[in-house]
Amino acid sequence: MQQGLDVSARTSSSSPADLADWSAAELLEAYARRTVSPVEVTNAVIARIEAYEPSLQALYAYDPESALKAARESERRWGAGDAKALDGVPATIKENIATKGTPVPLGTSARPLMPAEEDAPSAARLREDGVVILAKTTMPDYGMLSSGLSSFHPLARNPWDLSKNPGGSSAGAGAAAAAGYGPFHIGTDIGGSIRLPAAWCGVFGLKPSFGRIPIDPTYYGRVAGPMTRTVRDAALMMTSLTRPDVRDPMSLPYQELPWLDLDIDVKGLRIGLMMEAGLGLPLDPEVRAAVQAAAKAFADAGATVEEMRPFITREMLDGLDDFWRQRAWMDIGALTNEERSRVLPYILKWAEGGKSLTGAQVYAGINQMMVMRHAAVAATHRFDFVLSPVAPNVAYEAELASPIHDPERPFEHIGYTVAFNMSDQPAASVNAGFTKAGLPIGLQVIGRRFDDVGVLRLSQAWEQMCPDKRPWPKL
């Protein structure tokens, strides 16, 4: 495992050779002063990708020529005094977020490669604000694994340790953010797919309130959100990503929120601490110690920290599993035998468990998801924020589909994350430190419904307080 450069230590006086590690906030300041150009930065990120990508395999539809063209246009706008809000900041976008002209295979070899007709909302907002899109990022089949394993994409790996998994389903996004493939990355999350790779890759990931960022296609519990090296860069992305889009009929009414006002007085806050998920894999002792240390730091800073009982039950998680198996089988069962043979075997076996479910069983599964929703709000509403592990484990072997690699027990590691998709609450993963082996540990920060700004503020407070800051991995 090799180490690299710490973006938190970067200043605007950093040398051009290090531009791939600059934050978006630093880049925008340097562009405005004309000390750095978007073309220089894009070339630096391209050099980083070309050096690291043979090992990481985080990208899909990588297009450096188009990126350089966009960077030159950004450079012209900065020179003419006509720069856009995020002009010239390099970015990647998760494969399942459509970009015009690029096929959307959803991580599986079973789907036809039909070019997307238009940008999805997140891609459109970033492009409107001058962001330089370098590539899409990889994901597992149908986005249904916390893993970089895919029947379509090469196996994605974790830059902190190439033998380990980056997490998923925003697998490539997590690896790309940690590796310095530009400051901005977008993932999606329906049960932990932003927060898990953020935790295991040591970056920041925000699962916003449901509907805060318009998406297309929309689905129950599904959100898009930023994955970045710093909380402030995620806040910058939120200024763009949250603008309205008529294509999402489930989106929240647009609000001009103070995304960049990230100061918070911790003193007097009431913080819940949920150390146990209530089911699933046992909590790794090093993860436990890191999360408890974070809670103690907040208490020492004047917050009131109170232990919170777990609220998810086996019936809730099994009901959710039934629903998603049947939902997956609706897609996979409609394929021809030849197409179905291309699906990742783990996903195929898991989905086949849904084909014999009765309507009553599927309805009961949906009902358990609603029970989970109510339980999450009831358990957390009396706190300003809740802290917990993101996952009971740290990054696991790259070749495995899940920590226990058992399609009959697929969700034993998402007990800390999935309920907050069901309840619409914002939740983030921010690095809490590292194991003795040097693997990142994620701290989950959960807010009340629609308090996305508050989650960013408390996350930045911890980002500044965290005593275990390390250089970014260098391959």
Side-chain angles (χ1 to χ4, degrees):
M1 185 166 56
Q2 297 172 305
Q3 302 295 312
L5 301 171
D6 186 353
V7 73
S8 66
R10 293 283 163 220
T11 68
S12 56
S13 62
S14 298
S15 67
D18 303 322
L19 288 173
D21 289 306
W22 283 30
S23 70
E26 291 168 329
L27 290 177
L28 291 170
E29 181 183 345
Y31 293 161
R33 294 200 323 268
R34 309 293 192 270
T35 57
V36 169
S37 82
V39 174
E40 287 180 288
V41 172
T42 301
N43 275 319
V45 174
I46 289 170
R48 174 66 57 83
I49 289 170
E50 290 177 353
Y52 287 15
E53 187 59 8
S55 298
L56 292 184
Q57 303 285 4
L59 301 184
Y60 162 67
Y62 172 50
D63 190 351
E65 292 78 14
S66 293
L68 282 169
K69 180 181 177 182
R72 287 190 289 269
E73 293 170 353
S74 174
E75 185 175 78
R76 178 192 57 75
R77 288 191 295 270
W78 280 105
D82 192 28
K84 301 178 179 181
L86 303 176
D87 225 326
V89 178
T92 71
I93 296 176
K94 188 175 176 180
E95 182 246 281
N96 63 340
I97 299 172
T99 52
K100 185 176 180 179
T102 303
V104 185
L106 299 183
T108 181
S109 294
R111 280 172 57 90
L113 296 179
M114 302 292 293
E117 295 184 0
E118 59 183 354
D119 286 342
S122 294
R125 297 297 86 78
L126 292 186
R127 230 189 274 273
E128 288 163 5
D129 282 344
V131 168
V132 174
I133 298 172
L134 284 134
K136 309 296 286 292
T137 49
T138 61
M139 60 183 283
D141 287 53
Y142 299 98
M144 292 308 299
L145 295 177
S146 302
S147 164
L149 197 62
S150 163
S151 64
F152 180 81
H153 301 295
L155 178 63
R157 295 180 180 272
N158 192 316
W160 292 96
D161 182 340
L162 293 177
S163 72
K164 302 299 184 185
N165 208 296
S169 65
S170 303
Y181 288 11
F184 286 169
H185 309 273
I186 308 178
T188 62
D189 192 315
I190 204 166
S193 289
I194 287 173
R195 289 157 290 164
L196 292 165
W200 295 335
C201 292
V203 301
F204 179 73
L206 174 66
K207 182 209 78 67
S209 297
F210 180 76
R212 180 69 71 198
I213 294 175
I215 60 171
D216 181 37
T218 189
Y219 203 78
Y220 182 71
R222 180 173 178 258
V223 301
M227 300 178 71
T228 57
R229 284 180 165 187
T230 69
V231 175
R232 188 162 191 84
D233 277 1
L236 280 168
M237 292 184 75
M238 293 298 282
T239 66
S240 177
L241 295 173
T242 55
R243 291 203 303 274
D245 194 297
V246 71
R247 290 173 288 177
D248 185 351
M250 300 176 77
S251 59
L252 295 172
Y254 176 68
Q255 293 176 278
E256 287 203 25
L257 296 173
W259 295 111
L260 302 180
D261 179 6
L262 295 177
D263 292 335
I264 189 171
D265 186 358
V266 172
K267 188 175 182 180
L269 290 178
R270 189 172 187 186
I271 296 176
L273 177 62
M274 188 176 73
M275 291 304 306
E276 302 298 334
L279 46 66
L281 297 176
L283 184 60
D284 181 282
E286 290 185 279
V287 176
R288 181 183 298 276
V291 174
Q292 288 176 331
K296 183 178 185 302
F298 279 114
D300 290 345
T304 298
V305 178
E306 179 183 331
E307 290 269 359
M308 194 184 99
R309 294 171 60 86
F311 58 87
I312 294 185
T313 65
R314 175 55 58 183
E315 290 77 15
M316 294 178 195
L317 195 65
D318 286 351
L320 178 138
D321 185 21
D322 281 349
F323 172 80
W324 284 104
R325 284 179 192 256
Q326 198 274 343
R327 171 68 180 82
W329 184 250
M330 291 295 292
D331 289 332
I332 294 171
L335 301 175
T336 67
N337 288 336
E338 196 277 329
E339 289 169 335
R340 202 175 302 128
S341 71
R342 300 182 209 152
V343 175
L344 191 74
Y346 180 103
I347 289 292
L348 179 59
K349 185 174 181 181
W350 170 73
E352 284 177 336
K355 66 181 177 180
S356 61
L357 292 172
T358 66
Q361 288 172 307
V362 175
Y363 176 80
I366 295 173
N367 218 33
Q368 284 300 318
M369 290 159 66
M370 292 299 294
V371 171
M372 187 186 297
R373 174 191 185 92
H374 286 274
V377 174
T380 61
H381 75 91
R382 60 197 176 93
F383 300 107
D384 297 305
F385 301 96
V386 171
L387 303 178
S388 80
V390 174
N393 57 293
V394 293
Y396 56 96
E397 286 71 18
E399 295 79 12
L400 300 184
S402 71
I404 57 176
H405 202 70
D406 181 357
E408 296 308 313
R409 300 171 63 214
F411 297 145
E412 299 302 297
H413 58 291
I414 67 170
Y416 292 102
T417 54
V418 68
F420 305 109
N421 292 82
M422 301 302 105
S423 67
D424 303 345
Q425 291 171 258
S429 174
V430 61
N431 182 246
F434 296 81
T435 66
K436 290 178 182 178
L439 293 174
I441 296 168
L443 171 70
Q444 185 171 216
V445 177
I446 303 140
R448 290 174 174 160
R449 296 179 74 223
F450 315 127
D451 188 19
D452 304 74
V453 173
V455 168
L456 287 171
R457 287 173 177 165
L458 199 70
S459 296
Q460 181 173 270
W462 171 249
E463 185 178 67
Q464 295 168 345
M465 293 162 62
C466 181
D468 192 0
K469 297 181 174 70
R470 302 192 184 187
W472 291 103
K474 185 176 181 181
L475 305 185

